[in-house]
Amino acid sequence: MTIFEDYLKSVEIPKLLKELGVPKIEALMEEVKHFTEKEAERRDKIVLSYFGEDGIKRIIDSVVQGLLSPPKLKENAKVLDVGAGSGFFTMKVVDKLRRYLPKAAFYAMDLTPAMLRMLTRKTSEITSFLGVAENVRGSVEHARKYLDVPEKFDAIFSTLMLHHCLDIGKVFEGFRKAVEVDGKAVVVDLCKHSFEEFREEMGDIHLGFEPELIKEKAEKHFSKVQVKKIPGICCTNSGRSAELFIAVMIP
Ligand SMILES: C[S@@+](CC[C@H](N)C(=O)[O-])C[C@H]1O[C@@H](n2cnc3c(N)ncnc32)[C@H](O)[C@@H]1O
């Protein structure tokens, strides 16, 4: 058995969530169930079907550009993907960032063990741990009992996780507390849409977000926030399309 499987065996998600003081544990466990049963094995194919190769490249380029924008990350930066899922974007962002930051170290956090299991099967270069976006610091403290994870990160990024979170204000607060004072956070997610059925079909909690709302919520915790639509790309599912935004946040 691998160290990661040993670690997964020793963590009970409802107990961890209780320890982290997260409200609405049942709703979060529904998320875990959805991603375990409906997405973990198929996530990479699902992403490809939503965006196509061109769209995926555009998302990766946008995230990497956000991470490389000033202030400059140090050579040995510690970079965390929150809600990393099966690691589809994590691995591609890591590949690209390594060209600029060959000494950087990479970490992935997610609420769903089955998703992280897929990620760890693909690479041993990314340290994966369980946790909740609304309390990254507490999640990190918990993970440090088992794994080699730093206390804070120079950069945090997240793709397509925010609309699955119960309290997005808490997520931004959590990111701010987990990122170094000279670091940054980059979030990509869906713009506001009207497809109510995505709640049932995809376990979505929010039907995307107005970029203005993201800016307002993020500015409560970060001093500089830029939010813009990513041009020329949509998340398309059975003919239903939603635009994407990218938020770059500096403490
Ligand atoms: C739609 S998937 C995105 C996964 C990956 N980032 C991607 O783009 O393919 C959402 C992921 O967020 C995780 N997730 C949902 N709510 C979360 C929370 N509150 N904290 C941490 N992870 C969460 C799920 O387990 C799932 O792996």
Side-chain angles (χ1 to χ4, degrees):
M1 190 171 306
T2 63
I3 294 172
F4 185 69
E5 283 297 331
D6 264 350
Y7 158 70
L8 285 189
K9 273 187 93 177
S10 46
V11 183
E12 285 172 43
I13 303 293
K15 207 169 142 195
L16 170 62
L17 294 175
K18 200 169 169 201
E19 206 178 302
L20 295 175
V22 180
K24 301 191 183 158
I25 292 178
E26 276 167 30
L28 282 174
M29 290 312 293
E30 277 300 310
E31 286 280 305
V32 173
K33 187 170 183 287
H34 169 87
F35 284 107
T36 304
E37 293 175 0
K38 300 209 173 141
E39 296 217 12
E41 299 276 342
R42 300 191 303 126
R43 179 68 195 168
D44 295 5
K45 283 191 184 139
I46 292 175
V47 178
L48 202 54
S49 75
Y50 285 167
F51 302 106
E53 296 282 1
D54 276 0
I56 286 161
K57 186 174 175 303
R58 208 174 273 250
I59 294 173
I60 292 154
D61 287 347
S62 303
V63 171
V64 170
Q65 206 177 42
L67 290 170
L68 292 176
S69 65
K72 203 170 177 228
L73 288 176
K74 50 188 193 212
E75 232 189 14
N76 60 348
K78 298 182 269 304
V79 182
L80 170 68
D81 183 0
V82 174
S86 62
F88 182 87
F89 286 109
T90 329
M91 291 187 58
K92 293 184 190 313
V93 168
V94 167
D95 270 357
K96 202 145 194 201
L97 262 190
R98 269 206 200 289
R99 291 178 217 162
Y100 304 92
L101 304 168
K103 292 184 184 155
F106 296 96
Y107 303 85
M109 191 187 97
D110 203 281
L111 181 61
T112 307
M115 290 292 243
L116 286 186
R117 194 171 272 129
M118 298 307 291
L119 191 162
T120 55
R121 277 187 199 157
K122 295 179 204 159
T123 178
S124 57
E125 280 186 47
I126 300 168
T127 305
S128 301
F129 60 96
L130 294 163
V132 68
E134 287 86 345
N135 185 353
V136 183
R137 283 283 282 160
S139 305
V140 165
E141 264 174 51
H142 177 269
R144 281 167 60 81
K145 293 182 204 157
Y146 306 86
L147 302 164
D148 188 10
V149 175
E151 272 181 63
K152 283 199 172 194
F153 301 87
D154 299 291
I156 291 180
F157 70 96
S158 173
T159 56
L160 305 171
M161 178 208 59
L162 199 66
H163 64 283
H164 289 282
C165 292
L166 296 170
D167 184 341
I168 68 160
K170 277 268 173 220
V171 173
F172 292 127
E173 184 186 350
F175 281 17
R176 173 62 195 93
K177 285 183 180 163
V179 90
E180 297 283 5
V181 67
D182 55 352
K184 73 192 70 162
V186 175
V187 171
V188 169
D189 210 279
L190 302 180
C191 293
K192 191 89 192 149
H193 62 77
S194 58
F195 308 116
E196 190 65 40
E197 65 274 21
F198 282 12
R199 294 187 199 276
E200 184 64 30
E201 287 174 29
M202 289 180 265
D204 292 4
I205 304 263
H206 302 271
L207 301 182
F209 306 95
E210 298 289 357
E212 296 75 25
L213 176 79
I214 295 298
K215 190 164 162 59
E216 186 192 313
K217 294 268 184 192
E219 276 177 344
K220 295 210 163 83
H221 307 283
F222 290 87
S223 71
K224 200 170 156 213
V225 178
Q226 257 197 340
V227 188
K228 57 178 187 196
K229 287 187 179 175
I230 306 181
I233 171 176
C234 279
C235 177
T236 304
N237 182 354
S238 309
R240 299 160 299 184
S241 288
E243 289 179 291
L244 295 187
F245 71 83
I246 181 162
V248 179
M249 300 165 278
I250 291 166

